[in-house]
Amino acid sequence: MVLQINFKSGLPVYLQIVEQVKAAAASGALQPGEALPSIRPVAEDLRVNRNTVAKAYAELESLGVIETLPGKGCFLKENHSPLKKEVRRKMLVEEIDQAIVMAHHLQVPDPEFLVMIRERLQAFGDKRKANEDRQE
Amino acid sequence: MVLQINFKSGLPVYLQIVEQVKAAAASGALQPGEALPSIRPVAEDLRVNRNTVAKAYAELESLGVIETLPGKGCFLKENHSPLKKEVRRKMLVEEIDQAIVMAHHLQVPDPEFLVMIRERLQAFGDKRKANEDRQE
Amino acid sequence: MVLQINFKSGLPVYLQIVEQVKAAAASGALQPGEALPSIRPVAEDLRVNRNTVAKAYAELESLGVIETLPGKGCFLKENHSPLKKEVRRKMLVEEIDQAIVMAHHLQVPDPEFLVMIRERLQAFGDKRKANEDRQE
Amino acid sequence: MVLQINFKSGLPVYLQIVEQVKAAAASGALQPGEALPSIRPVAEDLRVNRNTVAKAYAELESLGVIETLPGKGCFLKENHSPLKKEVRRKMLVEEIDQAIVMAHHLQVPDPEFLVMIRERLQAFGDKRKANEDRQE
DNA sequence: GTGGTCTAGACCACA
DNA sequence: GTGGTCTAGACCACG
């Protein structure tokens, strides 16, 4: 579980942490029930205030992605993603639209755009597989 | 020059505008010397305050991408050359990866993801066509 | 009636014009019934947009300091200052307080402050007298 | 370090703050290395938004008058030397002249003007004394 | 109509 | 608690 912050991206640091934990959970890099690194080392690692990491974890808990057992630590929930299919679909559509707008601004034609997407899906699939092998 | 912003991404609106203008300039969709849409219409279109758009344009000016003549408008700088294909590709890959991560997090399988993308491309194509018809 | 604008003072240009006309009226440099210079030459002189001068004159008219006879020009009112004595006193107190605050910040002791004021009153009295002599 | 602003002067509030801090620094009333009052209390005191005070302090920093340490506070720069008496006198004369012009415009005769000034000096003296007593 | 500035409110990162 | 940033609304100067 390696986190990395881009201080120049404009996205609030605590949200960058939230997004990365969600992504790690989605990609299988973080397994259900697995413990997240605790706040203090993460803060030191990222050169960030402990409050900021705490805020990210609190946000993740309120989203239902992790659960905090006081005195034990934070763990990825066994069965997260409590959102209805329609809502999830809408969230995804927004991300897709953003990529399409960028493709349009960069004048990438649709067929080439689709090829790029397949390439990236392939790359992610390989990475996920490698993670699973590592865990066995 | 169609701008689109995502209010839930957490990325400041003015930076989203900056990125999209840079992308349009990078691809040549916006030609050197060409006028950007003026601040008020853009603000109205995006349902955002005029100052937010003004801040984006000010940032673009300080980056040397555009030039602003008070009382006249904002124009893409003459010496601004479109970026190489490789750089543009990299910009797009970042957006694509973001969508893929979201899809995985939401447990949308790859084939369904691809279908959604085709649907959105179709929707954008229709919208663009409608705009063109309106202009005739 | 010589106007002068300080573009760096931060005070809006139209208000600077208003203040100077009021001061000229107060000092006797501008006599009741006398014509103000018309908008166009003033604007050229000050390197300022005609709208800005027009706005200043409109403000002066609404304050009751001048009156505009369309097609003739603008004239200092015969009997302006329609404000009640209490209100006028309050306006003056604010200006006085500002000078006192500055004196305090500059650590000028009260007696020296009073001496400076008498000197300036003397200087203004001389100037006013000179203007009256000029008019005879 | 008592600040006082005039909401009707038309001069931007943040510039009024800048001027008063510069005056205090010029006279030595504010010592090099000394902390300025922090943003929130000043804003509350002046009944002004925090951002307005923050903007004044930012301007003072860019002028090299103060130095700001985020999370710590704002401090008068060490190498800041008080101005010569002549310069300070000139700053004060400008304020005095403004009050005199206002008095003439309001047709307040010089003797009454001087009486008013003595009254205000008295009022400020009393206020200052009250503050000192409160601090003991 | 154009862009620019001042003030305000809410949120962020840090100590 | 500290200062900093993003968005908003109203006003200013100019054409």
Side-chain angles (χ1 to χ4, degrees):
Chain A
M1 183 68 202
V2 178
L3 295 169
Q4 194 147 3
I5 299 298
N6 176 359
F7 289 100
K8 300 180 310 189
S9 82
L11 200 62
V13 173
Y14 86 100
L15 281 181
Q16 293 189 41
I17 297 173
V18 167
E19 290 308 314
Q20 290 187 37
V21 172
K22 291 203 302 197
S27 70
L30 198 61
Q31 294 292 328
E34 191 177 342
L36 273 71
S38 52
I39 291 179
R40 189 180 293 245
V42 170
E44 279 173 20
D45 210 55
L46 301 179
R47 313 289 188 78
V48 147
N49 194 283
R50 288 202 296 269
N51 292 345
T52 305
V53 181
K55 183 166 188 178
Y57 280 22
E59 176 76 6
L60 283 164
E61 177 150 33
S62 88
L63 288 173
V65 177
I66 67 173
E67 67 187 333
T68 302
L69 307 181
K72 298 259 186 103
C74 300
F75 303 87
L76 191 62
K77 272 209 176 172
E78 291 295 337
N79 188 10
H80 57 85
S81 212
L83 298 133
K84 287 219 179 108
K85 175 136 190 179
E86 254 327 289
V87 180
R88 287 155 54 192
R89 195 184 164 82
K90 235 178 203 161
M91 290 170 67
L92 184 49
V93 162
E94 300 218 345
E95 286 294 339
I96 289 174
D97 284 3
Q98 220 167 311
I100 291 176
V101 167
M102 177 67 88
H104 178 223
H105 283 147
L106 293 176
Q107 299 186 308
V108 174
D110 290 359
E112 188 178 338
F113 179 59
L114 285 164
V115 168
M116 286 177 71
I117 289 171
R118 284 206 192 80
E119 286 173 9
R120 298 309 299 164
L121 281 172
Q122 184 67 43
F124 272 85
D126 294 348
K127 189 162 61 169
R128 206 157 47 236
K129 187 142 193 340
N131 279 327
E132 282 160 10
D133 292 348
R134 191 172 48 88
Q135 299 230 342
E136 285 168 10
Chain B
M1 186 69 199
V2 178
L3 295 170
Q4 181 137 351
I5 64 179
N6 177 353
F7 288 101
K8 297 186 315 200
S9 80
L11 195 65
V13 173
Y14 88 98
L15 281 180
Q16 296 187 39
I17 298 173
V18 166
E19 289 309 313
Q20 291 187 34
V21 172
K22 286 204 302 201
S27 71
L30 199 60
Q31 291 295 323
E34 190 176 341
L36 273 71
S38 49
I39 290 179
R40 277 158 228 246
V42 171
E44 203 172 317
D45 211 55
L46 301 180
R47 310 293 188 77
V48 148
N49 190 276
R50 299 199 298 106
N51 284 358
T52 303
V53 182
K55 182 167 187 176
Y57 282 19
E59 175 75 7
L60 284 164
E61 171 151 45
S62 88
L63 288 172
V65 177
I66 69 173
E67 184 175 26
T68 146
L69 309 181
K72 295 286 182 67
C74 300
F75 305 86
L76 192 63
K77 273 212 175 170
E78 287 296 341
N79 58 4
H80 198 80
S81 55
L83 294 172
K84 286 216 184 104
K85 179 143 188 174
E86 256 328 288
V87 181
R88 287 155 52 190
R89 187 184 169 84
K90 211 171 158 188
M91 292 169 70
L92 184 49
V93 163
E94 284 188 17
E95 288 293 339
I96 290 174
D97 284 4
Q98 221 169 311
I100 291 176
V101 167
M102 177 66 86
H104 287 168
H105 178 236
L106 298 174
Q107 303 179 326
V108 173
D110 289 0
E112 188 178 338
F113 179 57
L114 283 165
V115 168
M116 287 177 69
I117 289 171
R118 285 210 187 78
E119 285 173 9
R120 299 307 301 162
L121 281 172
Q122 182 69 40
F124 272 86
D126 293 349
K127 190 161 41 162
R128 266 201 293 276
K129 186 146 189 337
N131 280 330
E132 282 160 12
D133 290 348
R134 194 166 49 94
Q135 299 220 345
E136 285 169 11
Chain C
M1 184 68 202
V2 177
L3 295 169
Q4 192 145 3
I5 299 298
N6 176 0
F7 288 100
K8 299 180 312 186
S9 81
L11 200 63
V13 173
Y14 87 100
L15 282 181
Q16 293 188 41
I17 298 174
V18 167
E19 289 307 314
Q20 290 186 38
V21 171
K22 291 205 298 197
S27 71
L30 198 61
Q31 294 292 330
E34 190 176 343
L36 274 70
S38 52
I39 291 180
R40 189 180 292 245
V42 171
E44 279 172 22
D45 211 55
L46 301 179
R47 312 290 188 78
V48 147
N49 193 282
R50 288 203 296 269
N51 292 345
T52 305
V53 181
K55 183 167 188 176
Y57 280 22
E59 176 76 6
L60 284 163
E61 175 150 35
S62 88
L63 287 172
V65 177
I66 67 173
E67 67 188 332
T68 303
L69 308 180
K72 299 259 185 106
C74 301
F75 303 87
L76 191 63
K77 273 210 175 172
E78 290 296 338
N79 189 11
H80 56 85
S81 215
L83 298 132
K84 285 221 180 106
K85 175 137 191 176
E86 254 326 289
V87 180
R88 287 157 52 193
R89 194 184 164 81
K90 235 178 202 162
M91 291 170 65
L92 185 49
V93 162
E94 299 218 346
E95 286 294 338
I96 290 172
D97 284 3
Q98 220 166 312
I100 291 176
V101 167
M102 177 68 89
H104 178 222
H105 283 147
L106 293 176
Q107 299 187 306
V108 173
D110 289 359
E112 187 177 338
F113 179 58
L114 284 164
V115 168
M116 287 177 71
I117 288 172
R118 284 208 191 78
E119 285 173 9
R120 298 308 301 164
L121 281 173
Q122 184 67 42
F124 272 84
D126 294 348
K127 190 161 60 165
R128 206 159 44 240
K129 187 140 195 338
N131 279 327
E132 282 160 11
D133 292 349
R134 190 172 50 87
Q135 298 232 339
E136 286 168 10
Chain D
M1 187 67 202
V2 178
L3 294 171
Q4 181 137 349
I5 64 180
N6 177 353
F7 287 100
K8 297 187 314 200
S9 79
L11 195 62
V13 173
Y14 88 98
L15 281 180
Q16 296 187 40
I17 298 173
V18 167
E19 289 309 314
Q20 291 186 35
V21 172
K22 286 205 303 200
S27 70
L30 199 61
Q31 290 295 323
E34 188 175 343
L36 274 71
S38 48
I39 291 180
R40 277 160 230 247
V42 171
E44 205 171 317
D45 211 56
L46 302 179
R47 311 292 188 78
V48 147
N49 190 276
R50 300 198 299 105
N51 285 356
T52 303
V53 181
K55 181 166 188 177
Y57 282 20
E59 175 76 7
L60 284 163
E61 171 151 46
S62 88
L63 288 172
V65 178
I66 69 174
E67 184 174 25
T68 145
L69 310 181
K72 295 287 182 64
C74 300
F75 304 85
L76 192 63
K77 273 213 175 169
E78 287 296 341
N79 59 4
H80 198 80
S81 55
L83 294 171
K84 288 215 182 104
K85 179 141 188 176
E86 256 327 289
V87 182
R88 286 155 53 190
R89 187 185 170 84
K90 211 171 159 188
M91 292 169 69
L92 185 48
V93 162
E94 284 188 18
E95 287 293 339
I96 290 174
D97 284 2
Q98 221 168 312
I100 291 176
V101 166
M102 178 66 87
H104 287 167
H105 178 236
L106 297 174
Q107 303 178 326
V108 173
D110 289 0
E112 188 179 338
F113 178 58
L114 283 165
V115 169
M116 287 176 70
I117 289 172
R118 285 209 187 78
E119 285 173 8
R120 298 308 300 163
L121 280 172
Q122 182 69 39
F124 272 86
D126 293 349
K127 190 160 43 159
R128 267 201 291 279
K129 189 148 188 335
N131 279 331
E132 283 161 11
D133 290 349
R134 195 165 49 94
Q135 299 219 344
E136 284 170 11

